[in-house]
Amino acid sequence: MSELYLETEAERRLWEELKNAGIPFTTEAGRVSDINPEDPSGRTTFTLNKGIRIRYQGLGKFQAWDQKCRNTRTFTIGDLRTRDVQTVLRGLLKLE
């Protein structure tokens, strides 16, 4: 069912990468709003274990943050293409 929340290709890509890497996560749909067809941003929030949350911001960028919003970082679709998702997340949020 969580796949139904995915509206952008970037969200689908992240969903597939997390599944393939065996990283447990949940998804939560955000508020419905108009989507810019030329640069859609996502409304789905991915929540990983340890409380890390990720949302697609448009322009090829994801934003990731921790539970207390003290540690916020961005990464790109290109980062997912050139490195595996575990490496991207470990580098961003020091999940080791």
Side-chain angles (χ1 to χ4, degrees):
M1 288 297 280
S2 64
E3 290 176 76
L4 297 175
Y5 298 144
L6 309 178
E7 295 179 318
T8 67
E9 182 59 33
E11 290 171 321
R12 286 183 192 88
R13 173 72 186 226
L14 179 60
W15 188 90
E16 288 175 5
E17 293 289 336
L18 292 170
K19 282 291 216 190
N20 291 340
I23 298 172
F25 67 95
T26 60
T27 57
E28 177 183 330
R31 197 176 77 173
V32 176
S33 61
D34 290 334
I35 294 177
N36 179 350
E38 294 179 23
D39 183 31
S41 60
R43 66 180 181 108
T44 300
T45 300
F46 294 79
T47 303
L48 311 182
N49 59 357
K50 299 185 183 183
I52 294 159
R53 297 170 64 97
I54 302 171
R55 183 177 300 147
Y56 182 61
Q57 299 297 310
L59 297 174
K61 295 181 182 177
F62 291 92
Q63 184 173 22
W65 64 96
D66 63 11
Q67 284 180 325
K68 297 180 182 177
C69 295
R70 291 180 308 194
N71 197 6
T72 302
R73 300 287 188 269
T74 60
F75 62 97
T76 67
I77 294 171
D79 293 333
L80 292 177
R81 289 184 185 134
T82 58
R83 298 182 281 168
D84 67 271
V85 71
Q86 290 177 330
T87 302
V88 170
L89 295 175
R90 210 173 8 257
L92 290 170
L93 301 170
K94 299 179 179 28
L95 298 176
E96 299 183 49

